[in-house]
Amino acid sequence: MADAQGYIAHAPGYVLNEGPKIVTSRFPYEDSYTLERYLATGGYEGLKAALARTPDQVHAEVRDATLLGRGGAGFPAGTKWGFCPPGVWPRYLVVNGDESEPGTYKDRLLMERDPHQLIEGCVIACYALGLSQCFLYVRGEMALAQERIATALNEAYAAGYVGRNILGSELSVDVVLHWGAGAYIVGEETALIESLEGNRGMPRLKPPYFPAAIGLYGKPTIVNNVETLANVPWILVNGAEAYKQYGSESSPGTRMLAISGHVNRPGVYEVPQGVVTFRDLFYGDNYCQGIRDGNALKTFIPGGGSAPWFFEDQLDLPLEGRVVGAAGSMLGSGAIVVMDETTDAVRACLRVVRFYARESCGKCTPCREGTTWEERILQRILDGEGRPSDIDKLLDVADNISPGPDPVAAWEAEGLPAIPFPPKQTTICPLGPSSVAPIASAIRRFRPEFEAKITKRDSIPVMAAGGGA
Amino acid sequence: MRFTAENLRIAEEIVARYPLKKSALIPLLHLAQEQDGWVTNEAMEHIAELCEVTPAEVIGTGSFYEMFKFHPVGRYVVNLCTNIACQLLGAEELLHHAEQTLGVKAGGTTTDGLFTLEDVECIAACTEAPCFQINYRYFNRTTPEAFDEVVAAIRSGKDPLASHGNSADPGPLPPHGTLARTRQSIPADRLGGIIPPEEATEPVWLARNQQGDAANG
Amino acid sequence: MTTTEPTDAPPGIPVTVNGQEILAEPGELLIDACERTGAYIPRFCYHPRMKPVGMCRMCLVEVDTGRGPALQPSCMLPCTPGMKVETESERTKKAQEGVLEFLLINHPLDCPVCDKGGECPLQDQTFAYGPGESRFVEEKRHFEKPIPISENVLLDRERCILCDRCTRFAKEVAGDPLIHFQGRGNHTQVNTFPDDPFNSYFSGNTVQICPVGALTAKPYRFKARPWDLEEVESTATVDSVGARIAVQSSRNVVLRYLGVDSDAVNWGWLTDKERFAFEAFNSPDRLGSPLVRGADGGLGQASWGAAMRRAAELLAGTDPARIGVIGGSRLSNEAQYVWARLLKGVLGTDNVDAQLDDGLPAATVLGLPRATIADACTPGGVVVLLGPDPKEELGSLYLRLRHAAVEDGVTLVECTPRPTGLARQARHHLHPRPGEVAELARALAGGEIAGTDVAGVPAEAVRAAAAAMQGKQVTVLLGRPSLAERPGPIVDAAHALAAVPGVRFLSGLRRGNVHGALDMGLAPGLLPGRQTLDAAGAAFAEAWGTVPGSTGLDTLGILRAAAEGRLDLLVLLGADPLSDVPDTTLAAEALAKVPEVLAVDLFVNASAASASVVLAAAGPGEFEGSFTNLEGRISHLARKVTPPGTARPDWMLGVELAALLGADLDITGPADVWTELAALAPIYADVDLARIRAEVREGVLVTGGPAALAPEPTSAPKADAYSYRLVATRKMYDLGVMASHAPSLAVLAPGTSLGMHPLDADALGVADGDTVSVTSPRGAVTAALRRQSGIPRGVVTLEVLQPDVATTTLIDAADTVVSVRVERA
Ligand SMILES: Cc1cc2nc3c(=O)[nH]c(=O)nc-3n(C[C@H](O)[C@H](O)[C@H](O)COP(=O)(O)O)c2cc1C
Ligand code: SF4
Ligand code: FES
């Protein structure tokens, strides 16, 4: 099963460490994705438990568990489920399996390793809310996940867990595998819906703030992340109270975290929510076991590429959404990227910014034009073609995408009051403003590194006297 | 190419799974790419007919997504991730190496039509950095040497997944265009019922709420 | 309403804009409310006639809805009570400057050579709101410079700012999503599918709404700079919708028509035919002087004196009973009146018909309760299509109906012999067998449905449509659905539908100012002001001196009389019977037989070629007057340029001819006509040219008219000796006189092929593209076959006035329907 380091060969990157396992409990089994193994390990018991109760009772159970969304925003699923306007039919369920936030790696494992768990969660949600059809939107580049889900769905249909008269009841729900084709923005829920309608994946305007009111085909639609729904069968089997035994009071249960970069034991961990600190994670024996080569920590991204960076000052914060938000960043999608002291801040910043420039859907002028401009300025600086005025220009361009002071942990480090996340934006969705996070983070904290790259080139004419001041 | 008879049958099955036809657009573009290795104009015209939209709408949607290729690409498309987690562990150097091994710049296709190399964004294997995909199958924690071995294996007709893939994916590695090697297929007698949104009514099982309330109250 | 009644009208939504309270209308968008009350917010993507997309972000303003000020796109934000808005704060300004700077970084600096320069919103807003200088030192985005996306429209993707206006128009408004965003992010571009051009009848609108110079129209490219243009608002005359246009000219040449947003009519949109029609009026083929047939037998230029004398001789020297006058829809209302008076009040002939046997009896059109476009588009209503395909023949009306069906829940019921351009939006597709539509109409109006079908339409479908009409506001679009079917069955059907409670009829007569012509009495039995000869004859005789003694011949009657040698003079008032009547064989016989022809026209058309005298008339934009659209709405026809050569306005020709015949009409200009009409026609009591000019945007709706007369009895279709019934319809673009003189339109006639249901084609053993011969008792043509599942069984379709296939040679006006035999050629 697990090797000396706790890795499991058939679940690459997953670390079997100490601690409660809710959604990864079957990962050690090589054949965890088969219906046979699923049934042998308590599979579809949650669905049976659900069918023994009324739909409202099932909804209440999930609400009581305070199951927080795992897609990034951390909104409680049970509350969101309550947003469907009454009496409007049909209602749809769309599962967000588009995982593409830089640093994020968890939903793919759940889909490859335990597709039935996800399917069961979907069917339970459909039962609870009267959702008549479910679309499982899997990221296009995840061929194996698509294959595993297709196989699992074929098995589940044949065995009566999905489709007409599920388990002999009057519940009839179709679960359809849908797959994307390469576009990060499609992870944003309204873009996901556009994509599912066969359109360009461009986010819709808000309000409505949730597609629960107006979603797929203009009908009420619940969008949930893969990991969120994967928790549902366990909650139905074990109850909300049992769920709340794990994690903190405001963030119960566990969540999957991918910790990558310069740590000794990078991996995907299922961790109790809200209690473990970043220091535990990076240095603890049960987790990453320290920074590589004994190097010092330079900075880390606490919640995916869109999150403002943290520094050693934030190491002792617990992984608790509200605390992290107040400190000027977010936990986002459970993606933590660790950079040690050897990291070139400008290069790292450019790489993250380039991601947003490439992934902008192109709808909003500031995002479409601004992110590319940012990338090009940064590229010039990195290439030694920078001008002294570039740094302030970069910050001002960023300000035109995300106006006002930016939420960055560096404020606190400078002794200034923290600016809480999320930032303000001139755009429709947070993608454009996300490009500002690395810029603001890196420049506030590592400005001399930028300046060093610029002043190295004496031959570049300085624009105006004092331009660099 | 338009769809072959067999693929047309699959296409129609896919279209039937959606309440509105246009939703099948992306899956059908994948099917076309599976058939021809890339998406041809004829295929898009056929898809437009099946989804009852214009060809301009098909290419409008299709060209938004980077997996669709509107010109021929290699039989093996190598997607090498250089995003932050991989960059930190040498992905940019690995890309440079790959460019030299294959003799093309990122975005290019080798003259023998075997490989297309792409510099891509995060592929959700960050803990396995640096990593790449070939035809969307993973190669984890790679090195320049491992990359060369994979290329050599393909050139000599061997399945690289067997030797260098991860044990989660049994292979074999299909040609570019093929994603899942198993398709979803819903037997007619198991279908719950897929109908246009305007025809929907309140699902029958919600009646249990009343019964439940009555029972409780 | 009395003053004591409590008013429960909403008082408006209070919103504070820059410290000042304004009242917004319920549902009004912030951007509109601000503009209406004087605080214009810059914008690029927002267009009031399309759904907002909030893409460009130019309209960001600081809005506080109680949770602190935040930048919000005002084009997406409906006003809510208590909103506080800052359109000029520092934050707002910085955001707008930022957006402009972003838009400019990839925008080329080619304003000096750009058609839009001088009228470019991007340029204007850069001056008004933009940052001083560019901080962008990188290379701009590059695309191949303008690429043609259709015959008449070019696209420069470097200039495009991706506002989604053209693409939204194509999909949302026109329903032709043939241009689309392609690519993503900073590589997004607008384009067509390869080799599939933006062939939309409405493509020119995209040029007009493009906020930069990315889309340009070939007919206008590099012709002028906006500051050289003079402009006047007027009305398009190519069809009877009467879309509002701005006529722009420079140095006495019309260079461009633009759509003007008339709420009642065209909402700012035009068909390309309307937009580019000015080319025909600028054509070098225009008549600049009168022509008279000389001793050598050929038509030659003559002096006006000689030509008018010859014309007067012809008129004076012919027994009024042996004169026939066809045409008049090209004329302004005022000219129509003058000619009606000349013909009926001076000469005393009633053989006058503005329609070309391709319409409906005037009594039916004027006599049934009439609808406006807005009536037809009332949310939740039902529109029965019992007339021409609006998409092909009444383009701007098509856009309104399409919008009504897609956005406002209007149910469309097709009662046409073949599917129309609204088939996708229509809920009910009833395609009765040609000649039998009245039976269907009776069933729809609540009649018994006995068998399994009604006129070939399944009884189920008829019942469903009848049920959909129950209790709804029903409007019938009434006109001639097919030139191969006589008006009789349509008239019967219309009168059957008149039994539907509250039903109203929107006229679908299509030809230019035909409604003006009917209203001015250019039809047998009618006098100006929607009055009949019977009812108002005496009053008119007093004013005019005389009126015809009895009802005269209509166009069919005139042509028959001519062909039978019972006519000595045929007057063609801007008419070309050889092209425009359904039975062109009859027209040819008539023209060959009639001794003299007098034509008044802009061009020497095919029929006028045999004339003894051709009087050169002024065209649209060259005279002052007015136009009456299919609703009965009168709007202004403005004069902007002088006619070619010495061509004269039609009204003037009428007055002068009367004078030569010894009658002083005492009309010195178009305004005088209204003075006279006010006295003679109650419906015009409060209409005059000054009012028409003043109300140019929405026009003056004139209601009232004679009660419906008894319908013309229909002869039942003959038993079919031949196997198929023919449906002959028009396309937007054809070989008609106007289009063939507009170079941008002339190339667009698509040709025709024989449409047939696939099962019928199978039975015949013919495949798509096979050449077939089509034979009627009257004639024969060959055409390529096109299998089309929408066409009913037993019916075949052809379009008229298309290259290579002389469809109308199959038509015999004596037969209610045209039966044809189809064989593999
Ligand atoms: C730019 C952007 C990208 C996103 N990508 C993802 C994603 O890949 N997967 C995901 O589950 N949620 C993603 N989200 C969040 C979704 O919009 C949505 O909040 C989430 O799927 C809701 O599920 P949950 O409530 O279960 O977390 C993204 C949001 C944004 C703004
Ligand atoms: S912020 Fe960027 S990604 Fe988001 S909607 Fe706007 S353009 Fe698209
Ligand atoms: S006008 Fe509002 S976003 Fe463009």
Side-chain angles (χ1 to χ4, degrees):
Chain A
M1 241 202 286
D3 67 13
Q5 280 203 287
Y7 291 125
I8 297 176
H10 57 254
Y14 177 68
V15 180
L16 185 60
N17 66 345
E18 303 270 303
K21 303 294 175 233
I22 290 179
V23 288
T24 64
S25 67
R26 293 181 192 84
F27 281 21
Y29 297 103
E30 233 257 81
D31 62 351
S32 60
Y33 52 87
T34 62
L35 180 61
E36 194 184 347
R37 172 64 63 192
Y38 191 63
L39 292 175
T41 49
Y44 290 109
E45 289 304 323
L47 176 59
K48 287 180 195 152
L51 286 176
R53 304 154 80 176
T54 69
D56 285 347
Q57 288 164 345
V58 174
H59 182 181
E61 193 74 54
V62 174
R63 197 192 301 113
D64 294 346
T66 323
L67 169 60
L68 299 184
R70 307 290 204 264
F75 196 85
T79 310
K80 187 195 278 188
W81 290 10
F83 291 158
C84 287
V88 184
W89 313 104
R91 295 170 175 174
Y92 296 111
L93 175 62
V94 175
V95 183
N96 193 340
D98 194 58
E99 187 170 62
S100 10
E101 175 77 23
T104 314
Y105 172 31
K106 63 188 184 68
D107 297 338
R108 178 164 73 88
L109 270 176
L110 287 172
M111 294 187 283
E112 289 178 359
R113 297 309 312 167
D114 204 344
H116 282 287
Q117 176 174 257
L118 173 61
I119 294 166
E120 185 180 358
C122 295
V123 177
I124 295 171
C126 290
Y127 174 69
L129 303 177
L131 313 172
S132 57
Q133 194 174 351
C134 166
F135 297 92
L136 246 160
Y137 192 119
V138 183
R139 182 173 170 188
E141 291 93 333
M142 297 179 177
L144 183 64
Q146 292 154 24
E147 195 163 293
R148 290 274 159 82
I149 288 179
T151 310
L153 281 172
N154 290 347
E155 287 176 322
Y157 262 100
Y161 297 110
V162 180
R164 176 178 302 174
N165 300 128
I166 292 169
L167 292 175
S169 73
E170 73 276 34
L171 173 65
S172 293
V173 169
D174 286 303
V175 180
V176 169
L177 166 65
H178 186 92
W179 58 117
Y184 161 70
I185 187 58
V186 160
E188 196 278 341
E189 57 193 1
T190 60
L192 186 76
I193 288 171
E194 284 290 328
S195 181
L196 189 48
E197 290 184 1
N199 301 329
R200 301 162 58 80
M202 295 162 95
R204 294 179 180 172
L205 285 125
K206 286 101 197 158
Y209 291 100
F210 287 101
I214 301 172
L216 185 64
Y217 312 129
K219 300 294 178 188
T221 302
I222 297 295
V223 181
N224 271 133
N225 170 260
V226 164
E227 186 189 342
T228 312
L229 288 160
N231 276 283
V232 170
W234 194 97
I235 293 172
L236 263 291
V237 171
N238 300 284
E241 283 315 309
Y243 191 74
K244 289 198 272 196
Q245 300 301 305
Y246 304 116
S248 68
E249 194 179 335
S250 52
S251 305
T254 61
R255 72 175 297 174
M256 289 173 77
L257 296 176
I259 304 151
S260 58
H262 297 149
V263 287
N264 285 326
R265 189 168 67 161
V268 182
Y269 298 83
E270 184 171 356
V271 181
Q273 291 209 90
V275 288
V276 178
T277 66
F278 290 106
R279 189 183 299 282
D280 297 338
L281 274 187
F282 300 164
Y283 296 99
D285 261 0
N286 195 29
Y287 297 103
C288 296
Q289 302 172 344
I291 309 293
R292 71 164 181 192
D293 303 335
N295 287 348
L297 175 72
K298 178 165 186 165
T299 179
F300 64 98
I301 308 178
S306 307
W309 299 358
F310 272 174
F311 312 99
E312 60 283 349
D313 327 59
Q314 282 78 34
L315 272 177
D316 291 313
L317 296 181
L319 283 122
E320 165 78 57
R322 263 182 277 167
V323 177
V324 169
S329 191
M330 65 162 176
L331 281 181
S333 51
I336 299 173
V337 184
V338 179
M339 300 181 228
D340 72 10
E341 56 189 325
T342 67
T343 310
D344 179 335
V346 180
R347 202 171 152 197
C349 170
L350 166 62
R351 188 61 191 82
V352 182
V353 169
R354 197 188 99 178
F355 170 76
Y356 294 103
R358 279 175 139 202
E359 297 297 341
S360 164
C361 82
K363 194 168 183 176
C364 315
T365 305
C367 170
R368 179 184 69 238
E369 306 293 341
T371 53
T372 321
W373 194 2
E374 289 168 344
E375 180 198 341
R376 292 166 81 171
I377 297 172
L378 280 164
Q379 186 72 56
R380 271 198 296 109
I381 294 175
L382 190 69
D383 292 347
E385 306 280 337
R387 302 177 185 192
S389 59
D390 277 341
I391 298 178
D392 287 331
K393 183 156 85 183
L394 197 53
L395 287 172
D396 192 55
V397 170
D399 187 67
N400 284 338
I401 306 173
S402 174
D406 33 76
V408 164
W411 291 94
E412 252 184 320
E414 291 169 23
L416 299 163
I419 292 159
F421 198 80
K424 294 201 157 57
Q425 57 193 57
T426 58
T427 53
I428 292 169
C429 89
L431 186 147
S434 294
S435 72
V436 175
I439 293 175
S441 300
I443 293 184
R444 274 209 94 82
R445 186 74 173 210
F446 308 114
R447 189 169 183 132
E449 285 188 43
F450 287 78
E451 286 167 348
K453 287 212 161 52
I454 288 169
T455 50
K456 244 188 222 153
R457 287 274 308 220
D458 299 321
S459 60
I460 287 292
V462 172
M463 274 190 72
Chain B
M1 289 320 127
R2 291 174 66 85
F3 286 122
T4 61
E6 170 60 8
N7 282 336
L8 181 58
R9 191 194 56 73
I10 296 169
E12 283 166 350
E13 196 181 326
I14 291 173
V15 171
R17 289 208 287 261
Y18 296 93
L20 295 180
K21 291 185 175 169
K22 196 181 180 192
S23 281
L25 218 156
I26 291 172
L28 294 195
L29 283 164
H30 278 302
L31 186 64
Q33 186 148 288
E34 178 168 350
Q35 176 179 288
D36 303 324
W38 57 289
V39 181
T40 65
N41 287 353
E42 295 77 24
M44 285 190 275
E45 284 164 3
H46 200 179
I47 292 168
E49 289 165 28
L50 294 168
C51 295
E52 294 176 7
V53 296
T54 62
E57 288 175 287
V58 176
I59 200 171
T61 292
S63 61
F64 186 85
Y65 302 92
E66 59 234 4
M67 286 173 75
F68 296 128
K69 312 296 179 194
F70 300 96
H71 46 79
V73 291
R75 185 176 168 83
Y76 298 95
V77 174
V78 182
N79 288 0
L80 204 150
C81 174
T82 57
N83 205 310
I84 183 74
C86 288
Q87 182 203 42
L88 291 174
L89 291 163
E92 286 173 351
E93 293 75 8
L94 182 62
L95 177 68
H96 185 68
H97 175 84
E99 288 177 337
Q100 291 197 317
T101 297
L102 295 176
V104 294
K105 284 275 171 209
T109 299
T110 55
T111 45
D112 59 3
L114 210 52
F115 293 99
T116 296
L117 178 65
E118 296 192 340
D119 164 9
V120 302
E121 300 301 339
C122 180
I123 51 178
C126 314
T127 64
E128 308 309 287
C131 57
F132 61 88
Q133 294 179 317
I134 298 182
N135 296 346
Y136 305 105
R137 306 279 167 174
Y138 287 86
F139 295 81
N140 294 336
R141 303 201 185 196
T142 62
T143 58
E145 297 71 43
F147 181 84
D148 290 350
E149 287 162 23
V150 167
V151 169
I154 290 176
R155 286 203 194 280
S156 61
K158 298 205 194 80
D159 183 28
L161 274 182
S163 51
H164 292 79
N166 60 76
S167 69
D169 193 339
L173 184 64
H176 177 251
T178 301
L179 291 170
R181 291 160 296 201
T182 318
R183 291 180 210 283
Q184 180 178 14
S185 182
I186 307 177
D189 63 332
R190 292 291 313 130
L191 191 67
I194 293 166
I195 52 170
E198 62 273 11
E199 290 174 22
T201 51
E202 178 166 359
V204 286
W205 66 89
L206 285 188
R208 287 192 186 191
N209 281 329
Q210 272 70 46
Q211 291 154 15
D213 292 347
N216 295 344
Chain C
M1 207 196 279
T2 64
T3 44
T4 51
E5 229 172 297
T7 146
D8 50 10
I13 298 161
V15 173
T16 310
V17 178
N18 303 333
Q20 222 124 24
E21 179 157 306
I22 64 158
L23 286 182
E25 285 154 17
E28 192 175 22
L29 293 171
L30 184 55
I31 196 169
D32 288 334
C34 287
E35 181 176 6
R36 197 170 46 74
T37 54
Y40 182 83
I41 300 173
R43 78 285 304 262
F44 293 110
C45 65
Y46 178 65
H47 186 285
R49 290 294 183 190
M50 297 194 287
K51 286 191 201 135
V53 282
M55 274 189 86
C56 74
R57 318 305 286 174
M58 188 64 204
C59 70
L60 288 173
V61 289
E62 262 193 300
V63 180
D64 187 349
T65 48
R67 276 173 289 158
L71 288 165
Q72 303 252 37
S74 55
C75 71
M76 291 297 301
L77 211 60
C79 293
T80 51
M83 228 177 211
K84 288 198 179 53
V85 185
E86 296 294 338
T87 69
E88 277 159 12
S89 66
E90 279 308 306
R91 270 277 194 79
T92 299
K93 276 220 205 92
K94 174 142 197 313
Q96 293 177 348
E97 273 175 23
V99 169
L100 262 178
E101 179 178 38
F102 286 139
L103 286 174
L104 290 171
I105 62 177
N106 275 306
H107 193 79
L109 300 168
D110 60 358
C111 306
V113 297
C114 176
D115 267 346
K116 204 80 174 189
E119 57 175 5
C120 174
L122 182 60
Q123 204 177 33
D124 296 348
Q125 298 191 9
T126 302
F127 288 135
Y129 308 91
E133 62 190 70
S134 177
R135 300 182 289 173
F136 187 72
V137 297
E138 285 81 6
E139 176 84 5
K140 288 179 189 279
R141 190 164 49 213
H142 283 299
F143 283 111
E144 192 188 326
K145 269 298 192 179
I147 50 169
I149 56 168
S150 74
E151 281 294 338
N152 291 317
V153 179
L154 293 113
L155 168 64
D156 181 333
R157 291 162 295 173
E158 290 185 347
R159 291 182 188 155
C160 171
I161 57 165
L162 302 171
C163 67
D164 198 21
R165 278 186 171 197
C166 59
T167 35
R168 238 182 316 158
F169 172 84
K171 183 168 173 69
E172 248 179 51
V173 181
D176 296 323
L178 299 169
I179 44 172
H180 210 286
F181 280 148
Q182 294 178 15
R184 189 177 71 209
N186 206 27
H187 301 286
T188 310
Q189 54 165 303
V190 170
N191 213 332
T192 62
F193 189 73
D195 303 322
D196 189 9
F198 181 38
N199 283 343
S200 170
Y201 292 163
F202 311 97
S203 67
N205 293 297
T206 61
V207 175
Q208 186 175 337
I209 60 180
C210 178
V212 292
L215 289 164
T216 44
K218 240 197 247 164
Y220 176 71
R221 265 173 81 79
F222 307 129
K223 288 277 166 59
R225 309 299 297 182
W227 49 85
D228 291 332
L229 291 175
E230 300 164 31
E231 170 180 307
V232 62
E233 209 164 306
S234 189
T235 305
T237 57
V238 302
D239 66 28
S240 62
V241 183
R244 221 61 79 233
I245 54 173
V247 178
Q248 296 187 330
S249 68
S250 169
R251 293 184 209 97
N252 203 28
V253 180
V254 173
L255 292 178
R256 182 163 72 168
Y257 286 173
L258 293 176
V260 170
D261 193 331
S262 158
D263 199 47
V265 184
N266 60 311
W267 288 8
W269 312 127
L270 296 180
T271 63
D272 288 1
K273 197 171 175 180
E274 288 165 319
R275 184 176 302 274
F276 300 132
F278 71 88
E279 282 188 352
F281 311 131
N282 290 349
S283 162
D285 302 337
R286 277 288 300 280
L287 279 174
S289 72
L291 305 177
V292 174
R293 194 163 299 277
D296 62 348
L299 276 176
Q301 289 199 0
S303 71
W304 273 105
M308 292 297 276
R309 266 194 310 280
R310 180 83 187 103
E313 276 165 29
L314 289 174
L315 291 170
T318 311
D319 172 0
R322 295 178 70 86
I323 298 179
V325 184
I326 298 178
S329 301
R330 180 181 56 70
L331 277 54
S332 67
N333 293 331
E334 294 76 11
Q336 287 162 344
Y337 175 81
V338 169
W339 277 84
R341 184 165 167 199
L342 167 68
L343 298 168
K344 298 195 172 183
V346 178
L347 291 172
T349 180
D350 197 50
N351 300 334
V352 177
D353 194 353
Q355 299 192 66
L356 289 157
D357 195 37
D358 58 350
L360 295 173
T364 302
V365 175
L366 300 182
L368 292 167
R370 289 179 76 171
T372 60
I373 298 173
D375 289 337
C377 297
T378 307
V382 175
V383 175
V384 177
L385 300 176
L386 179 64
D389 182 343
K391 185 169 185 178
E392 302 295 343
E393 307 202 22
L394 302 164
S396 336
L397 176 64
Y398 161 80
L399 295 184
R400 291 289 309 272
L401 291 174
R402 186 179 181 281
H403 179 95
V406 174
E407 302 295 337
D408 292 333
V410 167
T411 304
L412 300 181
V413 180
E414 283 186 318
C415 277
T416 47
R418 64 177 290 186
T420 68
L422 283 164
R424 270 190 103 159
Q425 287 73 42
R427 197 80 59 73
H428 302 274
H429 310 267
L430 317 177
H431 301 301
R433 266 193 301 270
E436 299 174 24
V437 64
E439 203 186 312
L440 173 65
R442 281 187 283 273
L444 286 176
E448 279 292 302
I449 298 172
T452 56
D453 76 302
V454 181
V457 183
E460 258 328 282
V462 180
R463 278 196 200 98
M469 289 163 62
Q470 276 296 321
K472 294 285 166 58
Q473 164 70 59
V474 177
T475 307
V476 179
L477 178 67
L478 179 64
R480 273 284 277 288
S482 161
L483 296 179
E485 181 176 2
R486 295 304 304 160
I490 313 299
V491 172
D492 289 350
H495 286 273
L497 285 170
V500 172
V503 68
R504 280 184 265 185
F505 294 80
L506 179 61
S507 170
L509 300 187
R510 55 179 290 278
R511 194 177 298 279
N513 195 17
V514 62
H515 297 90
L518 300 184
D519 288 356
M520 293 303 157
L522 293 179
L526 281 186
L527 289 169
R530 297 181 195 157
Q531 305 181 83
T532 60
L533 196 51
D534 295 344
F540 273 83
E542 196 168 315
W544 284 359
T546 183
V547 291
S550 61
T551 298
L553 302 170
D554 64 3
T555 289
L556 180 60
I558 291 169
L559 291 175
R560 281 182 174 149
E564 290 162 12
R566 291 186 280 115
L567 226 56
D568 294 332
L569 172 62
L570 184 62
V571 180
L572 300 177
L573 215 44
D576 180 13
L578 285 180
S579 311
D580 287 338
V581 302
D583 186 347
T584 43
T585 313
L586 174 65
E589 285 169 18
L591 277 159
K593 192 85 182 201
V594 73
E596 302 286 355
V597 175
L598 165 61
V600 182
D601 218 317
L602 311 184
F603 301 97
V604 182
N605 62 42
S607 309
S610 61
S612 323
V613 183
V614 185
L615 301 180
E622 298 160 4
F623 57 78
E624 169 77 12
S626 65
F627 178 96
T628 305
N629 83 346
L630 41 68
E631 306 166 284
R633 184 182 304 277
I634 301 179
S635 58
H636 190 212
L637 288 173
R639 181 192 147 109
K640 191 74 209 65
V641 292
T642 55
T646 57
R648 298 180 183 182
D650 300 282
W651 68 266
M652 202 185 275
L653 295 174
V655 171
E656 289 175 13
L657 283 172
L660 288 171
L661 296 172
D664 178 4
L665 301 191
D666 196 18
I667 291 174
T668 60
D672 292 347
V673 167
W674 294 98
T675 316
E676 216 170 297
L677 273 169
L680 285 168
I683 61 167
Y684 295 133
D686 57 356
V687 182
D688 63 28
L689 201 55
R691 176 168 170 214
I692 295 168
R693 244 188 248 129
E695 295 178 30
V696 55
R697 186 65 54 86
E698 300 302 322
V700 178
L701 184 68
V702 175
T703 55
L709 303 182
E712 182 179 302
T714 307
S715 44
K718 284 192 204 151
D720 291 344
Y722 292 74
S723 40
Y724 296 95
R725 289 190 190 171
L726 176 68
V727 173
T729 55
R730 292 177 197 273
K731 297 294 282 182
M732 171 72 78
Y733 301 118
D734 58 23
L735 303 178
V737 176
M738 208 279 301
S740 44
H741 287 101
S744 302
L745 303 176
V747 294
L748 298 174
T752 185
S753 46
L754 187 83
M756 182 182 261
H757 192 280
L759 292 176
D760 285 347
D762 285 346
L764 272 178
V766 283
D768 249 356
D770 283 359
T771 305
V772 291
S773 70
V774 186
T775 313
S776 78
R778 184 75 151 182
V781 299
T782 57
L785 184 107
R786 184 171 27 105
R787 300 157 67 102
Q788 236 187 321
S789 49
I791 293 178
R793 301 291 305 271
V795 162
V796 291
T797 65
L798 277 174
E799 282 83 24
V800 301
L801 269 181
Q802 296 296 327
D804 302 329
V805 181
T807 301
T808 48
T809 56
L810 297 169
I811 299 174
D812 185 342
D815 295 335
T816 302
V817 297
V818 176
S819 300
V820 293
R821 199 168 55 226
V822 180
E823 287 150 323
R824 185 197 279 278

